[in-house]
Amino acid sequence: MTPKSAPPETETLPKIALSPNYKWFVVGMLWFCGFFNYADRQAIFSIFPLLARELHLDKVQLGLLGSSFALVYGICAPFAGNIVDRVRRKSAVLGGLQTWSIICMLTAVSRNFGTLLFFRAAEGLGETFYFPASMSLISDYHGKKTRSRAMGTHQTSVYLGTIAGGFFGGLIGQYYGWRWSFIVFGGLGVLLGFVLMKYLVEPKRGAADLEDFGVPKHEARHIPVGDFLKVIWTTPTVLLCMGAFMLDNFVGMVLLSWMPAFLYEKFNLSLAMAGLTATIFIQLASMAGSPFGGWMADTLRKRFPGGRIAVQVIGLLGSAPFVIWCGQTLSVTWLMVALTCWGVFKGMYDANIFASVLDVVRPEARGTAVGFMNMVGWLVGAGTAPVIIGYIAQRASLSYAISIASIALVAASVLLLIAIFFTVGKDVERLRRQLE
C-alpha cells in the first residue's frame, strides 16, 4: 500500500507523506503519543509514598487512585471507540493527547484525596480515545504482512513511557515534590500535540485489507452500536481475545500499580530507584520481546489464521512462572532476573493484542472493537486489580498478592487456545466474504 491512495483527497499532504515509507513514519509519530500516554498514567504510582504521607492515604485509597483511572478509561472506551469510527482518527489522536496532558498538569492543584481522585479519573477519560484511534489508523496503513510488526513497534512506546513515568515521576517527586511530576509530563504532551498536527495524515479506512484480499473497492459505512454488538457476538474469536486481554490486564495493572511500593517496602529502595527498578527491567525486556513477537506473528499468520494468537499463548504461559518468582524472591538480583524474563514474554503477547482482533473485524468497526477491548480489559481487569491486590496485601502480604495473580495468565492462555483450534479460521474467512 502506498500513502498516495490512503489519505482523503481534500487533505493537503506534507512532503513526508509522499515517501513510500510513510506508513512507518506514522508508527513513529504515534509512538511518541503512546509514550506520553503511559508516562502520564505511570508517574503517580512512583509517588504513592509521598501521597500517603502528605494526604494521609491508606493502601485501599492508593489502590482507588489506580482503579479510578482504569474504571473511567474502561467505561468510556466503547463510546470513544464508536466516536473514533465516525470521525477522523487524526483528530481523535491529537485531541485526546492535548486533553489528557492538560488534565495531567491540573492534577498538581490537588489538595485532598477527593480532588486527586477526580483528576485521576478525568485523565482516564482523556486517554480513552487514543488506542481505538491509533490502532484503527495503523491497521489502515499496515495489512497482513506488517500489522503485528507495526503494532509491536508502537507497543515499545508503552514500555519506555512506563519506565520514564516510573523513574522520572519518582525522581522529580523526590527532589521537587510530587506536583511537579504532573506538570512536567503534561506540559511535554501538550507541546507534542502541536508538532504532530502538521505531519499526521488520515488514511482511507480499510485500505490495507482491500489490498490483502485483492478487493478493488469497498464502500466503508458506519456500523450502529447495536449491529456492532451483533457482529461481536457472532465472532467468537473477538470474545475470546477480549477475555484473555481482561485477565492479562489484571496482572499488568498489578505490576504498574503495586510493584514500586513493593520494592520500596520490601527492599528499602528510594522512591526513584523503586520506580525505576519496578519498570526498567520488565519494560526494556518487553521492548525486545514485542518486535520479536510481532515478527513471529506476521510470519506465522502467513501460514495459518491463528498465527498471531499462537504467539500470544506463548507469551502468557511463559510469563506466569516469573510472576510467581517476583512475589516470592528475597533477593533484588533475582527479582531483576524474574522481571526481565517476565518482560520478554509479556512483550510477545502485547505485540498482538489488537492485531489479532483486527484480523477478524471490519475496517469501519475497528475503533469500536478496540474500544470494547479496552472496556473489558480496563474496567473488569485493570479496574479491579489495584483494589483487590491492596485488600489482599493488607490481610496477607504484597508478596502473596503478586504471586497469585499468575493464575489469571494461565486462564487467559486457555481462552486463546480455544480461539486457535475452533474459531479464528472461520472468522477470518467470514471477513473476507464481507469485504467482497
Side-chain angles (χ1 to χ4, degrees):
M1 182 186 69
T2 62
K4 293 181 181 180
S5 63
E9 295 179 357
T10 56
E11 185 168 0
T12 301
L13 301 181
K15 290 183 179 179
I16 193 175
L18 301 178
S19 166
N21 293 318
Y22 180 70
K23 66 181 183 179
W24 291 105
F25 290 134
V26 169
V27 175
M29 288 185 282
L30 293 176
W31 189 95
F32 287 99
C33 294
F35 175 90
F36 283 104
N37 187 280
Y38 267 76
D40 290 356
R41 70 175 75 177
Q42 180 63 25
I44 192 171
F45 298 122
S46 294
I47 58 172
F48 266 8
L50 296 180
L51 296 175
R53 185 162 59 245
E54 181 175 327
L55 302 180
H56 310 290
L57 308 181
D58 59 30
K59 280 187 169 60
V60 173
Q61 288 176 310
L62 292 173
L64 284 171
L65 292 177
S67 291
S68 64
F69 173 94
L71 291 171
V72 172
Y73 187 91
I75 290 171
C76 297
F79 303 103
N82 190 252
I83 292 172
V84 163
D85 284 330
R86 296 170 179 263
V87 303
R88 296 169 76 240
R89 277 77 54 89
K90 173 182 176 178
S91 300
V93 166
L94 299 183
L97 171 64
Q98 297 281 19
T99 300
W100 86 61
S101 297
I102 291 171
I103 293 172
C104 183
M105 295 176 69
L106 290 174
T107 306
V109 306
S110 301
R111 292 292 184 273
N112 54 53
F113 173 69
T115 308
L116 188 62
L117 188 69
F118 170 79
F119 282 119
R120 185 65 178 169
E123 189 171 336
L125 175 61
E127 292 196 14
T128 195
F129 286 89
Y130 176 68
F131 266 93
S134 62
M135 294 299 100
S136 175
L137 197 152
I138 289 176
S139 74
D140 285 338
Y141 277 112
H142 293 269
K144 181 173 63 177
K145 296 179 181 178
T146 61
R147 184 169 290 161
S148 282
R149 275 174 284 175
M151 293 185 177
T153 300
H154 175 272
Q155 185 68 23
T156 62
S157 69
V158 170
Y159 309 134
L160 276 185
T162 302
I163 293 170
F167 176 64
F168 289 107
L171 185 66
I172 295 169
Q174 185 174 316
Y175 287 100
Y176 301 103
W178 61 267
R179 301 177 195 279
W180 277 100
S181 298
F182 296 107
I183 294 172
V184 170
F185 283 114
L188 291 174
V190 171
L191 292 176
L192 175 64
F194 287 116
V195 173
L196 297 187
M197 197 174 296
K198 179 179 179 181
Y199 298 105
L200 190 61
V201 175
E202 178 79 6
K204 177 182 177 181
R205 292 186 191 266
D209 294 275
L210 297 181
E211 182 177 304
D212 284 344
F213 290 121
V215 180
K217 184 177 180 181
H218 172 72
E219 189 66 31
R221 61 180 180 81
H222 172 67
I223 298 180
V225 175
D227 291 345
F228 172 81
L229 292 175
K230 188 181 299 182
V231 169
I232 294 301
W233 186 252
T234 57
T235 311
T237 300
V238 176
L239 296 175
L240 292 165
C241 286
M242 284 184 178
F245 182 53
M246 174 192 71
L247 294 166
D248 176 76
N249 230 31
F250 179 94
V251 182
M253 196 61 177
V254 172
L255 169 71
L256 295 175
S257 59
W258 283 113
M259 190 60 72
F262 174 68
L263 295 171
Y264 180 81
E265 294 176 4
K266 185 171 182 177
F267 298 105
N268 298 315
L269 300 182
S270 66
L271 287 176
M273 286 307 300
L276 179 64
T277 304
T279 55
I280 191 169
F281 294 100
I282 191 168
Q283 305 300 341
L284 286 180
S286 294
M287 283 190 65
S290 185
F292 175 71
W295 169 82
M296 181 184 293
D298 283 335
T299 300
L300 293 179
R301 176 64 180 83
K302 297 174 185 177
R303 300 182 180 182
F304 64 102
R308 302 194 205 283
I309 301 177
V311 175
Q312 290 183 284
V313 172
I314 294 172
L316 291 170
L317 291 177
S319 297
F322 296 108
V323 175
I324 300 173
W325 193 356
C326 285
Q328 296 303 309
T329 184
L330 300 177
S331 165
V332 175
T333 300
W334 284 114
L335 177 71
M336 295 174 183
V337 173
L339 287 171
T340 300
C341 295
W342 179 3
V344 172
F345 287 105
K346 182 178 184 297
M348 294 176 66
Y349 171 83
D350 289 348
N352 298 285
I353 290 172
F354 299 111
S356 295
V357 171
L358 299 187
D359 272 355
V360 296
V361 175
R362 296 170 63 92
E364 56 265 40
R366 286 175 177 165
T368 306
V370 174
F372 270 81
M373 281 277 290
N374 276 334
M375 178 189 69
V376 173
W378 285 89
L379 186 61
V380 184
T384 60
V387 174
I388 290 175
I389 296 302
Y391 180 85
I392 295 173
Q394 284 195 167
R395 283 153 181 77
S397 68
L398 266 177
S399 295
Y400 175 76
I402 291 171
S403 294
I404 64 171
S406 61
I407 297 173
L409 298 177
V410 178
S413 67
V414 172
L415 295 179
L416 294 184
L417 285 171
I418 294 173
I420 292 172
F421 289 108
F422 298 104
T423 69
V424 68
K426 298 176 182 177
D427 290 337
V428 168
E429 177 61 22
R430 182 186 296 116
L431 176 62
R432 187 191 66 78
R433 292 197 302 268
Q434 290 173 346
L435 291 178
E436 288 181 344

